Amino acid sequence: MERVGVLVSMLAAVILVGGAACSESIHNPSEGPAPILDTSAEAGEDLVDRIAYVSPLGDLFTVGPDGNNQIQLTGGRQVRHGPEGAAQAQSLRLDEYYAWPTWSADGTKIAASRVSVRENRAEITLQVMDAQSGNSHTVYKNQQAGLIADGAPHYIYWAPTGGNLSFLASTPDGLSLLVWDGTPGRAPDLVDRGAPLYYHWSPDASAMARHVGAELTYSRPAAGGAPQQVAGASGGFRAPAISPDGRDLAYAVDTPEGSGLFITPIDDLSQSRKVMDIGILAAFSWSPDGTRLAVGDQQNPRSPILDRLVLTPADGGPSTTLSTEGVLAFFWSPSGENIAWIEVNASNQEMEWVVSPGAGTDAKRLFSFQPSSQMFILFSFFDQYAYSHSPWSPDGKSLVMAGQKGEVARRSNGRTPTGDRIYVLDIEGDPTPRDLGPGVLAVWSWN
């Protein structure tokens, strides 16, 4: 069995039996892993258009979209500096893995969860590392070995600008939202608590919309600002959506006539207007130009599958239907020229990437697959993860994912090694997916 799977099982067992809490304070940043030794990338290389991925052994790598210039950030190549700067090799640690690498907006840093399991005791920390050297430090140490979701020690989300890092963590007081201001050695600030908890940074990182239970609030500044409550918001959606220009907020409301998608101006949260009728559960995201919203909804609260996916103008004009085939997730390309979504084929328990121009015409089927467990988590909560983990390349011409080929892809593209692998999909050219090698989770840099 892969090391990540073994450690996840061990961690789950520790949590189920009430594993011992870490002895140090949760707000006690400390020195993290040592720098990583030489990699195949040239020193000083401009780290743009990169893919971060987690190997089956739970180590972090970055790589170019063509599979070249791989950089190993964690693992057996670690060294520590001994007396007078002499390098001292460290043994490979087989009881430790990293999860959920998350790119900063400028592509210079990666934050990730680190899980260590020793003698029935789990330690969970949040690490921030240099995206080229692997130099890292601990931003946060959990007091208890709890997960926020199956396979997710934290949810990590860098601010769109600047160095602020937000994250969700399981604490003795419940699910907590914290923000670290980027200062090494400084403890993160507690922003909110409650469950479920979803949120969205404003484009300039000066404010934050938070959906906790059925309560929707907006605060400026994001950490420490007095929250303004948005009246009428329901529990029938997860992540709120601030428009790309920062002027409007989209959310769902339950009314006597049924559920609706509403937009309210940030400068007057009481002046909301209805955009369209939606099902009892919905997910939505703004197009990058702010003129439209992609909206998926459903009537069955027990199913993660959306009944339909539509594009609707923000001014309330007629909607365009993209799919009624059972949609699990959808993602706008960075420019908004295209939108990609994942359709579910329940009969053979496979999924398929589909992409369409932003106008909603000429949909193209790309790749049938079975996602890795981590990618399935990302897809299941895609409306939140779309803010922090992008499957799209910065130029909007490719998608990245982790999983295994489905039956249709195997028939058209030949056999493939077993186990989860990293695939890059070209949405315009060669339909054959590019196999970058084994991996359980992959996300693209923002730049």
Side-chain angles (χ1 to χ4, degrees):
M1 184 183 295
E2 296 171 346
R3 193 176 93 207
V4 172
V6 172
L7 288 173
V8 168
S9 299
M10 293 173 63
L11 176 60
V14 170
I15 294 169
L16 287 174
V17 299
C22 300
S23 59
E24 297 184 36
S25 166
I26 60 174
H27 298 316
N28 183 25
S30 62
E31 290 301 317
I36 306 303
L37 280 176
D38 187 34
T39 66
S40 59
E42 295 294 330
E45 178 188 0
D46 192 15
L47 294 181
V48 298
D49 194 17
R50 303 280 295 176
I51 295 168
Y53 73 93
V54 182
S55 76
L57 294 180
D59 288 318
L60 300 185
F61 294 78
T62 70
V63 68
D66 57 0
N68 294 323
N69 298 322
Q70 184 186 76
I71 297 176
Q72 182 175 354
L73 298 176
T74 67
R77 294 184 176 186
Q78 290 185 5
V79 298
R80 292 191 183 279
H81 294 289
E84 300 180 358
Q88 296 180 330
Q90 301 296 298
S91 60
L92 181 65
R93 301 173 69 178
L94 298 177
D95 53 0
E96 177 178 278
Y97 75 93
Y98 291 78
W100 295 100
T102 312
W103 289 96
S104 63
D106 62 6
T108 63
K109 295 180 288 294
I110 292 176
S113 300
R114 184 179 70 184
V115 178
S116 302
V117 181
R118 300 179 185 86
E119 298 179 353
N120 294 325
R121 180 176 181 270
E123 180 181 276
I124 299 177
T125 58
L126 179 63
Q127 304 290 318
V128 169
M129 61 192 70
D130 182 274
Q132 186 172 46
S133 69
N135 290 329
S136 70
H137 60 275
T138 301
V139 169
Y140 180 84
K141 181 180 288 186
N142 285 36
Q143 258 187 316
Q144 62 183 25
L147 305 177
I148 65 161
D150 186 21
H154 306 102
Y155 168 70
I156 309 169
Y157 176 12
W158 287 92
T161 61
N164 284 350
L165 176 67
S166 64
F167 59 97
L168 297 177
S170 175
T171 74
D173 296 315
L175 185 65
S176 299
L177 169 61
L178 301 104
V179 172
W180 177 62
D181 70 359
T183 303
R186 179 181 172 86
D189 295 316
L190 175 66
V191 175
D192 211 340
R193 283 196 177 105
L197 197 164
Y198 303 94
Y199 64 104
H200 190 194
W201 284 97
S202 64
D204 62 1
S206 67
M208 184 182 286
R210 302 192 295 273
H211 187 206
V212 185
E215 183 178 86
L216 178 62
T217 60
Y218 181 87
S219 62
R220 186 189 301 273
Q228 299 174 263
Q229 186 165 349
V230 181
S234 73
F237 71 104
R238 292 183 298 236
I242 300 174
S243 62
D245 61 9
R247 296 179 180 178
D248 295 297
L249 175 64
Y251 59 101
V253 175
D254 292 332
T255 70
E257 295 77 28
S259 299
L261 176 65
F262 281 70
I263 293 176
T264 185
I266 294 297
D267 58 5
D268 188 353
L269 296 175
S270 65
Q271 298 300 313
S272 61
R273 57 184 176 84
K274 186 176 180 180
V275 177
M276 63 176 289
D277 294 322
I278 55 176
I280 59 175
L281 292 177
F284 36 85
S285 62
W286 291 88
S287 63
D289 64 4
T291 62
R292 295 159 294 165
L293 291 107
V295 184
D297 63 352
Q298 59 160 296
Q299 295 293 344
N300 183 359
R302 295 182 178 86
S303 172
I305 308 303
L306 302 170
D307 296 330
R308 63 170 179 166
L309 172 62
V310 303
L311 298 180
T312 187
D315 62 9
S319 299
T320 300
T321 299
L322 295 179
S323 177
T324 57
E325 297 300 319
V327 173
L328 180 62
F330 53 87
F331 304 90
W332 286 101
S333 68
S335 68
E337 182 178 355
N338 293 290
I339 184 169
W341 65 91
I342 295 169
E343 289 186 359
V344 179
N345 187 331
S347 63
N348 60 10
Q349 298 183 336
E350 291 183 358
M351 302 179 187
E352 188 170 25
W353 277 104
V354 185
V355 66
S356 169
T361 59
D362 301 323
K364 179 181 180 181
R365 297 187 176 275
L366 296 178
F367 183 55
S368 66
F369 68 99
Q370 295 175 335
S372 68
S373 59
Q374 289 88 338
M375 290 300 301
F376 183 74
I377 293 170
L378 189 154
F379 296 152
S380 298
F381 299 93
F382 73 94
D383 44 343
Q384 181 68 68
Y385 278 105
Y387 298 145
S388 53
H389 296 75
S390 177
W392 278 102
S393 61
D395 63 7
K397 295 182 179 180
S398 302
L399 292 158
V400 69
M401 57 150 288
Q404 301 180 46
K405 288 183 179 180
E407 183 60 32
V408 173
R410 285 194 293 269
R411 287 200 304 265
S412 60
N413 298 310
R415 296 186 60 83
T416 183
T418 59
D420 294 322
R421 303 182 70 80
I422 309 300
Y423 292 104
V424 172
L425 314 178
D426 185 342
I427 70 167
E428 297 177 348
D430 187 351
T432 304
R434 185 180 310 123
D435 185 342
L436 300 189
V440 297
L441 179 71
V443 291
W444 226 300
S445 63
W446 299 102
N447 58 349

CSV table of all heavy atoms in Angstrom, one decimal, residues 12 52 113-114 118 121 199 209 219 305 319 371 429:
chain,number,residue,atom,x,y,z
A,12,ALA,N,-6.2,8.3,11.1
A,12,ALA,CA,-7.6,8.1,11.4
A,12,ALA,C,-7.8,7.3,12.7
A,12,ALA,O,-8.6,7.5,13.5
A,12,ALA,CB,-8.3,7.4,10.2
A,52,ALA,N,2.4,21.9,-8.8
A,52,ALA,CA,2.8,21.3,-7.5
A,52,ALA,C,2.0,20.0,-7.4
A,52,ALA,O,0.8,20.0,-7.7
A,52,ALA,CB,2.5,22.3,-6.4
A,113,SER,N,0.1,21.0,4.5
A,113,SER,CA,-0.1,20.3,5.8
A,113,SER,C,1.0,19.3,5.9
A,113,SER,O,1.3,18.6,4.9
A,113,SER,CB,-1.4,19.7,5.9
A,113,SER,OG,-2.5,20.6,5.8
A,114,ARG,N,1.5,19.1,7.1
A,114,ARG,CA,2.5,18.0,7.3
A,114,ARG,C,1.9,17.1,8.5
A,114,ARG,O,1.5,17.7,9.5
A,114,ARG,CB,3.9,18.5,7.7
A,114,ARG,CG,4.9,17.4,7.9
A,114,ARG,CD,6.3,18.0,8.3
A,114,ARG,NE,6.3,18.5,9.6
A,114,ARG,CZ,7.4,19.2,10.1
A,114,ARG,NH1,8.5,19.3,9.4
A,114,ARG,NH2,7.3,19.6,11.3
A,118,ARG,N,3.8,8.8,15.0
A,118,ARG,CA,4.9,8.0,15.7
A,118,ARG,C,4.3,7.5,17.0
A,118,ARG,O,3.7,8.2,17.8
A,118,ARG,CB,6.1,8.9,16.0
A,118,ARG,CG,6.8,9.6,14.8
A,118,ARG,CD,7.9,10.5,15.2
A,118,ARG,NE,8.5,11.1,14.1
A,118,ARG,CZ,8.0,12.3,13.6
A,118,ARG,NH1,7.0,12.9,14.1
A,118,ARG,NH2,8.6,12.8,12.5
A,121,ARG,N,0.8,8.3,18.0
A,121,ARG,CA,0.6,9.8,18.3
A,121,ARG,C,0.8,10.5,17.0
A,121,ARG,O,1.8,10.4,16.3
A,121,ARG,CB,1.6,10.2,19.4
A,121,ARG,CG,1.5,11.7,19.7
A,121,ARG,CD,2.5,12.1,20.8
A,121,ARG,NE,2.4,13.5,21.2
A,121,ARG,CZ,3.1,14.4,20.7
A,121,ARG,NH1,3.9,14.2,19.7
A,121,ARG,NH2,2.9,15.7,21.1
A,199,TYR,N,-15.6,30.5,3.0
A,199,TYR,CA,-15.3,31.9,2.9
A,199,TYR,C,-14.6,32.3,1.6
A,199,TYR,O,-14.1,31.4,0.9
A,199,TYR,CB,-14.4,32.4,4.1
A,199,TYR,CG,-13.0,31.7,4.2
A,199,TYR,CD1,-11.9,32.4,3.8
A,199,TYR,CD2,-12.9,30.4,4.6
A,199,TYR,CE1,-10.6,31.9,3.9
A,199,TYR,CE2,-11.6,29.8,4.7
A,199,TYR,CZ,-10.5,30.6,4.3
A,199,TYR,OH,-9.2,30.0,4.4
A,209,ALA,N,-15.7,37.6,2.9
A,209,ALA,CA,-17.1,37.1,3.2
A,209,ALA,C,-17.0,35.7,3.8
A,209,ALA,O,-16.3,34.9,3.3
A,209,ALA,CB,-17.8,37.1,1.9
A,219,SER,N,-16.6,41.3,6.3
A,219,SER,CA,-15.8,42.2,7.2
A,219,SER,C,-14.6,42.8,6.5
A,219,SER,O,-14.0,42.1,5.7
A,219,SER,CB,-15.4,41.3,8.4
A,219,SER,OG,-14.5,40.3,8.0
A,305,ILE,N,-24.0,15.5,-6.4
A,305,ILE,CA,-24.1,15.7,-7.9
A,305,ILE,C,-25.1,16.8,-8.2
A,305,ILE,O,-26.3,16.8,-7.7
A,305,ILE,CB,-24.5,14.4,-8.6
A,305,ILE,CG1,-23.6,13.3,-8.2
A,305,ILE,CG2,-24.4,14.6,-10.1
A,305,ILE,CD1,-22.1,13.5,-8.4
A,319,SER,N,-30.6,32.6,-19.0
A,319,SER,CA,-29.5,31.7,-18.7
A,319,SER,C,-29.3,30.8,-19.9
A,319,SER,O,-30.2,30.5,-20.7
A,319,SER,CB,-29.8,30.9,-17.4
A,319,SER,OG,-30.0,31.7,-16.3
A,371,PRO,N,-10.9,9.8,-10.2
A,371,PRO,CA,-10.0,10.7,-9.5
A,371,PRO,C,-9.4,10.0,-8.3
A,371,PRO,O,-9.9,9.0,-7.8
A,371,PRO,CB,-11.0,11.8,-9.0
A,371,PRO,CG,-12.3,11.1,-8.8
A,371,PRO,CD,-12.4,10.1,-10.0
A,429,GLY,N,-5.3,21.1,-28.4
A,429,GLY,CA,-4.6,20.4,-29.4
A,429,GLY,C,-4.7,18.9,-29.2
A,429,GLY,O,-5.8,18.3,-29.3
